[in-house]
Each structure stands twice: as structure tokens, then as C-alpha cells.
Amino acid sequence: MSRLFDFLQLVRNENMKIYRRIGTWIMLGIILLIVIVVSTLSKLFSEHDTMWTIMNGIEQFTYYLITIFTVVVSAECVAGEFSAGTIKLLLIRPWSRSKILLSKYIALLLFALTLSVVMLVSSYLLNLILFGYNDSATANEALGVLNNSHPLSYMIQVYLLDYIGLIMIVTFAFMLSTIFRSGGLAIGLSMFIYFFGLIASGLLFNLKYDWVEYLLFLHLDLKQYLQTSVIKHNIHELTMGFSLAVLAVYYIVFVGITWLIFNKRDVAT
């Protein structure tokens, strides 16, 4: 039990490193500002929107912004320690490298979760005040929900599925942060690969090659399965189960490479 408590303290210290930065609070402020501005403008200039459609629109836009924020923090997490030279001070503590790396990774996932929860709660409460509560039938029709899910349940599913995609991007950026010693290089490369991958996957999806179905970025948008149970690609049909399986394989590869490189790296060079 004492070891678990000490490890939680290690995670707490990593969280303190993240939230001690003024940039972190600026990121949270930007999220709240977007929610306030979009909701207020929609109330003033739109007569047909509901609280649910506004929440859905905010989520779709702000998700990419949250992804950028988490990539920045993830890429700096390990590479920043190497750049500043503080990694040596961290490794002289009575903790294994794996536990130190795990504490950083957990702190990053909690940061990504915090941004998502802040966006969900602030968007829900503000739009509830501005637009009032809409009945399920009207909301489901506006959102395009195919089943009889309650609109709040649907929005929570959207956030959870997007959070899975966010975990994949965080893990990928974390891997690059471990591979490269430069935080700037890790951030730039992470962002380039992320956006280039999204564009390339969209273009390659129409090609009649089976290997296209195994591209990572093709499966990050899991919430598309809330609109349809299958996605047609050539002669195959993609399902959520298949997408989750592909993501799981990539996740194992990313984590394996990260742990291997960090445990083998000589910090003296």
C-alpha cells in the first residue's frame, strides 16, 4: 500500500509540473472561451439550434484544439526533460525508469481527460442556461441519432469515443517525445504526422487496396459508428470492433517502443 501511495505521489508531482506552467492554464482558458463565444453567438444569431446541436458543434471543433494542446504537452513531457537536463535528477530517485515513465504517461492521460471534461461540463451547463432543455425526439432528429439514445447519453458516447482517439494521439506524441531529445522537434513532428495522416488517410480510403484499412488515422474517428454500424470500403465492411482492434495493435506498438527506448537510453550522452 505504501508503494502505491508513493507512486501516486509521483503521478501527483508530474501533474504539478503540467499545471505549474502558465501555458496549461491558457489552454484551459481558451477551451472555456470557445464554449462561451460559440454558445453566445449561436443564441444571438441562430433561431433553429438546440443546446444539443451547439454542444455537438463545439465538440467537433474543440476536439482538434484539445488534440493540439495534448500533443504539445505530451511532446514536451520527456523531450523537455532531456532538453533542460532535468532527466538526470529525475532518474537518481529510488524509482525504476518504467515507473517514472508510467507516472508521466498517466499524468498526460489525466490532462487530456481534464480538458475533455471541462469542455463537456461547461458546454452542457452554459447551453442549458441559454437554450433550455430540449426533448429527446427533437434532439435526436437534429443530431442524426439513429437509435433511441437520450441526447445526453449520445453526447457522452461522442466524448468517450473521441477520448479513445485522443489517447492514441497522446501515446504517439509521447513515443516521439521519448525518441527525440528536442521538445520542439517532437512537437513539430507529432503535429505534422497527425494532420498529414488525417489528410492522407481520407485520400487513400477510396483506393482499392486492403492495406488501407489498417492505417491508424482511418480509425481515430470512432464516433462515426454512432451514425452507422458499418463503413463500406471496397468489398469489406469496417466495424467498430475492427477499428478498436487496429487501434489496440498500434497502441501496443507505441507503448512497447516508448518503454524500450526510455529504459535503454543513456542519459549521459
Side-chain angles (χ1 to χ4, degrees):
M1 183 63 68
S2 61
R3 290 186 177 182
L4 176 60
F5 177 77
D6 291 340
F7 178 73
L8 292 177
Q9 288 296 109
L10 194 60
V11 176
R12 176 176 174 272
N13 290 337
E14 293 300 327
N15 271 304
M16 290 176 61
K17 291 180 183 179
I18 294 176
Y19 292 100
R20 193 180 296 142
R21 303 168 185 166
I22 186 64
T24 299
W25 296 100
I26 292 176
M27 293 175 186
L28 287 167
I30 291 175
I31 297 298
L32 290 173
L33 181 63
I34 290 175
V35 171
I36 294 172
V37 171
V38 172
S39 301
T40 303
L41 291 178
S42 298
K43 176 63 176 179
L44 293 176
F45 299 105
S46 178
E47 298 179 355
H48 305 290
D49 284 318
T50 66
M51 64 172 289
W52 305 111
T53 56
I54 299 302
M55 283 183 63
N56 192 48
I58 290 174
E59 193 279 336
Q60 290 180 4
F61 171 76
T62 315
Y63 168 73
Y64 292 103
L65 196 59
I66 288 178
T67 300
I68 294 174
F69 291 160
T70 52
V71 163
V72 171
V73 176
S74 300
E76 278 283 353
C77 188
V78 179
E81 298 271 14
F82 278 102
S83 299
T86 55
I87 190 66
K88 296 179 182 179
L89 298 175
L90 190 62
L91 293 179
I92 63 175
R93 295 182 179 183
W95 291 99
S96 67
R97 290 193 177 198
S98 293
K99 289 182 179 179
I100 291 174
L101 195 64
L102 180 60
S103 67
K104 288 180 173 294
Y105 183 64
I106 291 176
L108 287 172
L109 294 182
L110 291 175
F111 173 70
L113 180 62
T114 298
L115 291 182
S116 300
V117 171
V118 167
M119 179 172 61
L120 172 62
V121 173
S122 61
S123 178
Y124 176 80
L125 293 178
L126 181 57
N127 284 287
L128 178 62
I129 294 172
L130 292 177
F131 293 91
Y133 194 85
N134 300 102
D135 63 273
S136 298
T138 302
N140 286 347
E141 182 179 355
L143 292 172
V145 180
L146 299 181
N147 51 38
N148 294 322
S149 297
H150 189 278
L152 179 58
S153 174
Y154 172 81
M155 289 305 305
I156 292 176
Q157 292 178 63
V158 168
Y159 275 78
L160 288 176
L161 292 176
D162 270 346
Y163 184 67
I164 294 176
L166 196 57
I167 290 175
M168 294 301 302
I169 300 302
V170 167
T171 307
F172 178 70
F174 190 62
M175 179 187 70
L176 293 182
S177 178
T178 305
I179 294 175
F180 300 103
R181 295 175 183 268
S182 170
L185 178 60
I187 292 173
L189 191 57
S190 297
M191 295 307 304
F192 173 78
I193 294 177
Y194 172 63
F195 286 109
F196 178 79
L198 291 178
I199 296 172
S201 296
L203 296 175
L204 292 173
F205 183 76
N206 295 320
L207 297 180
K208 296 183 178 180
Y209 297 106
D210 291 342
W211 57 264
V212 174
E213 299 174 359
Y214 298 95
L215 294 176
L216 167 65
F217 299 97
L218 197 66
H219 302 278
L220 291 178
D221 186 15
L222 293 174
K223 65 176 180 288
Q224 60 187 326
Y225 291 110
L226 295 177
Q227 306 294 335
T228 178
S229 58
V230 295
I231 298 174
K232 187 72 173 178
H233 177 252
N234 297 331
I235 61 174
H236 300 118
E237 292 183 342
L238 307 183
T239 64
M240 182 178 291
F242 177 78
S243 292
L244 288 174
V246 171
L247 293 179
V249 172
Y250 276 103
Y251 181 84
I252 293 172
V253 172
F254 292 161
V255 170
I257 293 175
T258 302
W259 256 254
L260 178 64
I261 291 179
F262 187 77
N263 282 299
K264 296 296 183 181
R265 168 160 287 176
D266 183 6
V267 300
T269 58

